[in-house]
Every structure is written in C-alpha cells, then in structure tokens.
Amino acid sequence: MEYGLQQWRRSASRGQWQGRSGAPQVGILSDSMVARGEQLAAVSMVCVNAIGLVAGAVPRILPAAPEADIDAYLDGLDGLFVGGGQTNVHPSRYGRTVDEGRDGPFDEFRDEVALRLIPRALARGIPALFICRGFQELNVAFGGALAKEPDDLPEEQRHGTPEADNEDARYRLRQKVTLRKGGVLQQICGADSIMVNSLHSFLIADLAPGLVAEAVADDGSIEAASVEGASEFALGTLFHPDYWASSDHASARILAAFGDAVRRHARAQGAA
C-alpha cells in the first residue's frame, strides 16, 4: 500500500530532515504486522516525516514488542509520538465484549506496549503527541472507554474512513471541530474552530479521568483532549495533523508546538 504517497512527494521536495547530530530524539511507537508469515514492526512514513521535517527531531522507532523494557525505551527520548494504525484497540482492554468481525482488526502486541508506555512517559514528563489510535490508547490507558460508531451512517455524518481513490482524498479535511475556549488546542491553532480529517470508526465513549476535552465535532463527539496537569505537552487528537503538517495551518501548528516542547525538554535535560 502506498500509504500517504502524495503527501510524501510534497514533503520530500522540502529537503532533508532538520535534525542533525545532537538533535532531540522522538520515539515513535510501531504497529506489529505479519507479512509472509513473519512478524514485523511497521511505522507509517507519514509519521516519520512529520517528526523529521516539521517537528525537527530525529525519529526513533519503538517496536511493539510485548517483552519490551518500557523505561529503556524512554531513556534518552525528548518526545513520544503515538500515531494511528490499521487496527483497533481490543475492547477487552476497556471492559467491553468483543465482536471479532465488527470490531477488528486488532494488534494486541501494540495494545500491550502502548498501555504501559503511555502512563510511564507522562509520569516522566516526556512531551507526547497521540494521534487517532494513539489518542484512543491514551484514553484507555487512563481508564476511559471507546465505542464503535453505527455502521449505517451516511458518509457525510461518519467519522470512519471515507471512500476515496487515493490517500490525499482519504485524508481530506472534511470535518469541522470546535475548540475549547482558552484551551490548549485553541491557543496552539489561534482559532475557535478548525477543519480536520476523520478516519476513525471508534469514538470516545467515556473520556478518561484526567483528560480534558479540547475539540468537539458537530455531533458532540470528542475529537481531541489534553492531559490535565501534565508537566509538559500532552495532547491527543482523533484526527491526523501529521498527514497535512507540511501544508495545513492548524496541522502545522500542532506539530510545531510539539517540536517546541521536545526541544525545551532536550535543553532541560542537557542542563540537568
């Protein structure tokens, strides 16, 4: 699958990543997948380029290996990026009965690592950005729950992936979200509402304690949240600012704000 190929071509024309020797390090959690019978760790190049080109950091892939030493993964990182994926969080992780045919596919290796990694990273004060599945994992890690949207909704009302001929069309900005007045996301974007992409069929059913809603869609569903009282940048979005980070104003502002937080963390660690 040529994931994000059109966006990659535009980003590639901007030159090499900004990160050089001594640049901040951002960990990107991988998916796990099987190809030709072999278990692999996979990361979208859209995520990788968003960190390198827009956030100005060096991406470090964190394999979704259930045996992983989480603290060792986090040692030396100045930021954590937990992005989207081709799978859903297993409903058993938030106490719901699973419908294998309707709720899948799943990636339980990633579930296992993400739900340990996220609380530990935030406890250590590492700036973190959670996108789509990443925000769902953040919510579940803190005790929240998810719900599958109805299958029979017309496409213009559906949050799940729209029909499209290519990735740019699939990731098109098609949904308006209203930002919390005075909130983290409003301050970052400098707007009361923004247009975002929407490719998630699972919604936030119960927002976890300790998370604050930052963006709401017209149907009332929560599309972004921040971590209350976090010592550093800690934001989750169900939409994908990483995809349009090189061209859309709001998307670029979100990735740039994350990059600023990553650099502050790196400077503070260097001065310690």
Side-chain angles (χ1 to χ4, degrees):
M1 179 179 182
E2 294 179 329
Y3 186 87
L5 180 60
Q6 294 84 8
Q7 174 68 3
W8 175 83
R9 283 173 175 156
R10 276 193 292 275
S11 297
S13 68
R14 296 185 57 180
Q16 294 182 322
W17 294 342
Q18 300 169 37
R20 295 292 185 271
S21 178
Q25 311 287 303
V26 171
I28 303 176
L29 180 61
S30 84
D31 294 320
S32 67
M33 61 176 291
V34 176
R36 296 183 179 179
E38 184 177 2
Q39 194 82 36
L40 305 176
V43 172
S44 164
M45 286 302 296
V46 169
C47 301
V48 170
N49 279 322
I51 295 302
L53 287 166
V54 183
V58 176
R60 299 295 188 201
I61 309 307
L62 309 178
E67 307 84 1
D69 182 328
I70 296 302
D71 279 309
Y73 268 13
L74 295 172
D75 287 346
L77 290 186
D78 302 300
L80 175 67
F81 182 97
V82 186
Q86 303 296 319
T87 60
N88 301 314
V89 179
H90 199 281
S92 64
R93 298 286 182 169
Y94 46 94
R96 302 292 170 92
T97 302
V98 61
D99 181 331
E100 294 285 347
R102 182 172 182 268
D103 298 339
F106 304 115
D107 181 348
E108 295 194 69
F109 281 9
R110 173 163 164 169
D111 291 346
E112 178 65 26
V113 176
L115 298 183
R116 290 188 290 131
L117 181 73
I118 291 168
R120 189 67 190 131
L122 295 175
R124 290 176 61 160
I126 296 173
L129 178 58
F130 308 94
I131 289 177
C132 199
R133 193 193 207 275
F135 176 26
Q136 294 166 352
E137 290 162 328
L138 169 68
N139 191 54
V140 171
F142 275 68
L146 311 175
K148 183 82 178 288
E149 71 175 354
D151 294 327
D152 57 355
L153 289 175
E155 183 166 301
E156 65 270 14
Q157 297 177 25
R158 198 168 66 228
H159 293 275
T161 306
E163 295 294 328
D165 295 330
N166 58 64
E167 290 302 287
D168 277 7
R170 234 184 305 276
Y171 280 83
R172 66 186 181 270
L173 304 176
R174 64 187 183 96
Q175 174 178 272
K176 187 182 87 168
V177 298
T178 301
L179 308 186
R180 180 171 69 91
K181 187 174 181 180
V184 171
L185 199 49
Q186 188 195 51
Q187 293 180 44
I188 289 171
C189 296
D192 296 328
S193 64
I194 58 175
M195 293 298 294
V196 302
N197 42 33
S198 185
L199 297 91
H200 57 94
S201 59
F202 273 84
L203 312 177
I204 303 298
D206 301 312
L207 189 64
L211 300 186
V212 178
E214 295 287 347
V216 178
D218 287 344
D219 63 4
S221 62
I222 295 170
E223 293 293 309
S226 59
V227 179
E228 188 174 23
S231 61
E232 258 299 354
F233 185 104
L235 178 70
T237 71
L238 282 178
F239 53 93
H240 287 257
D242 50 335
Y243 194 88
W244 296 112
S246 66
S247 56
D248 172 61
H249 176 76
S251 298
R253 292 287 293 269
I254 292 169
L255 267 294
F258 176 57
D260 289 344
V262 166
R263 284 184 287 277
R264 285 196 303 270
H265 186 270
R267 288 194 297 268
Q269 293 300 107

